[in-house]
Amino acid sequence: MSSVTLTYETPQFLHSVIGNDISSLRKLAEAFDIQVTSRDGWIKLDGPEDRITAAQEVLAELEKVRRGGAEVSLGMLQMVISNTRQPWTEAPAEKILQLKLLGSSRKPPVLAKTRGQIDYLKAMRENEVVFGIGPAGTGKTYLAMAQALQSLRDKTVQRLVLTRPAVEAGEALGFLPGDLNEKVFPYLRPLYDALYEMLETDEAEKMIERGIVEIAPLAYMRGRTLKNSFVILDEAQNTTTEQMLMFLTRLGEGSRCVVTGDPSQVDLKRGVRSGLAEAMHILSGVEGLSFIRFEPTDVVRLPIVQRIIEAYRIHRGTGE
């Protein structure tokens, strides 16, 4: 048995290294079957030497993330623990910081929190068209929005276009109250929410007013050519095959595109094939296009959400 004590400059910095969540120490202890105690600005690790070394590596990587100006999260802790057990990269902290997006004096930067999210951010940087496919809560739309806003900030695109199919869940749009904008707003609300979470309210509103950011139903895309734009199609599982082809052929010079969707959450009428399902079948291998498939382990909501998704997937006997 061995014992190692790690000392940090302040208790506050130590808390930031573990994501300001004392339960992180319990997860670290459980992951490597060691004893972890902490007080003030130190952490003590007791157990077999090889397991203590592995736990030290996890804490060292999280410290690098924190000193790199980024905040540590529970998902990030779990990713680094997983990488220590079954390595896929020698420097997880470096990967996370290399892909850091946005950030300001008031808003923290957006970071990848899982291996799937790291692959997704890399794909968006390297490809003209990216499909992010997987369950809810994996950050598909959120990270696409962050990459799009970063592209605007870097001036690699001139505008951001966000769109969703307006598929009714039991009600026809024509029977809902209000004018057209009021009818479709509920379908577009998640996109507005993500935008306002990443930007200051006045900045987001100015971008929308100036047309730098456009949020519209998919039907508004027909007949247009989108140049020098970062285009995001959200909830793509609810597109028809015709809508998907129409959307993908809107891209003009200097544009990039991200398509997000969850094949297990199709709301189309029975007998109508999903445009996302068809695209997954026929576009694999197209140059400049990448498919990133998220797993339940990439869910960054409450841990129980991962377990719920996995239970449904096993029950339904599907890998999607």
Side-chain angles (χ1 to χ4, degrees):
M1 297 289 285
S2 299
S3 179
V4 171
T5 299
L6 307 174
T7 303
Y8 300 86
E9 54 260 43
T10 65
Q12 291 77 18
F13 183 75
L14 166 57
H15 291 157
S16 70
V17 168
I18 60 173
N20 295 305
D21 188 345
I22 199 67
S23 70
S24 295
L25 294 179
R26 185 176 69 251
K27 294 182 184 301
L28 186 67
E30 292 172 351
F32 298 105
D33 194 18
I34 60 174
Q35 184 177 348
V36 179
T37 54
S38 178
R39 189 174 301 155
D40 298 327
W42 54 263
I43 294 177
K44 185 181 180 185
L45 310 173
D46 292 287
E49 186 175 354
D50 58 336
R51 297 177 188 175
I52 286 181
T53 299
Q56 282 183 271
E57 290 176 4
V58 169
L59 291 168
E61 289 299 312
L62 296 178
E63 183 179 351
K64 289 177 186 176
V65 170
R66 192 67 195 93
R67 294 194 188 280
E71 294 190 5
V72 174
S73 66
L74 180 57
M76 198 179 296
L77 168 71
Q78 293 171 328
M79 176 178 65
V80 176
I81 288 174
S82 176
N83 182 71
T84 302
R85 286 168 155 177
Q86 295 181 315
W88 55 274
T89 176
E90 294 182 355
E94 186 177 328
K95 296 280 187 186
I96 292 167
L97 293 172
Q98 283 176 347
L99 297 168
K100 182 169 63 174
L101 298 171
L102 303 175
S104 67
S105 58
R106 293 186 180 183
K107 298 283 186 177
V110 176
L111 303 167
K113 299 176 182 178
T114 70
R115 181 176 176 180
Q117 290 189 350
I118 285 178
D119 291 342
Y120 189 44
L121 290 179
K122 287 178 62 180
M124 286 191 285
R125 291 190 178 188
E126 296 170 358
N127 295 274
E128 294 169 288
V129 178
V130 174
F131 282 74
I133 299 163
T138 49
K140 302 184 300 294
T141 303
Y142 190 82
L143 291 176
M145 181 83 77
Q147 183 62 62
L149 291 172
Q150 184 68 57
S151 297
L152 274 177
R153 184 175 290 183
D154 295 340
K155 301 188 185 318
T156 56
V157 298
Q158 297 175 0
R159 59 202 299 260
L160 168 55
V161 179
L162 311 167
T163 185
R164 280 181 139 201
V167 175
E168 311 90 358
E171 291 183 277
L173 285 173
F175 291 97
L176 294 177
D179 60 22
L180 182 59
N181 287 333
E182 291 171 327
K183 291 176 192 289
V184 300
F185 179 77
Y187 299 102
L188 304 176
R189 180 62 184 267
L191 299 175
Y192 281 98
D193 288 345
L195 182 67
Y196 280 93
E197 186 173 339
M198 294 178 198
L199 301 177
E200 299 294 336
T201 301
D202 58 345
E203 183 182 7
E205 290 177 349
K206 285 179 182 177
M207 284 185 166
I208 293 172
E209 288 173 4
R210 295 173 181 172
I212 297 173
V213 173
E214 177 186 350
I215 304 177
L218 181 59
Y220 285 25
M221 298 299 109
R222 189 173 296 280
R224 300 176 60 183
T225 299
L226 303 171
K227 295 182 179 180
N228 300 311
S229 302
F230 197 114
V231 191
I232 299 173
L233 170 58
D234 192 33
E235 298 289 344
Q237 74 275 4
N238 289 327
T239 62
T240 64
T241 55
E242 292 81 5
Q243 286 175 328
M244 178 62 79
L245 178 59
M246 177 274 291
F247 171 77
L248 292 174
T249 54
R250 298 307 93 201
L251 300 178
E253 183 180 353
S255 288
R256 302 181 83 82
C257 166
V258 177
V259 177
T260 70
D262 179 0
S264 70
Q265 298 288 330
V266 177
D267 296 319
L268 295 169
K269 294 179 181 179
R270 187 180 298 275
V272 178
R273 190 180 185 195
S274 166
L276 178 61
E278 182 183 55
M280 291 168 62
H281 178 66
I282 66 175
L283 296 181
S284 179
V286 172
E287 184 179 353
L289 187 151
S290 176
F291 284 91
I292 301 296
R293 289 173 170 81
F294 292 92
E295 301 296 330
T297 52
D298 291 308
V299 172
V300 291
R301 294 177 182 171
L302 286 175
I304 193 172
V305 176
Q306 289 185 8
R307 298 193 290 271
I308 289 171
I309 290 170
E310 184 63 20
Y312 267 96
R313 184 158 72 163
I314 292 172
H315 173 72
R316 291 173 174 175
T318 175
E320 299 294 353

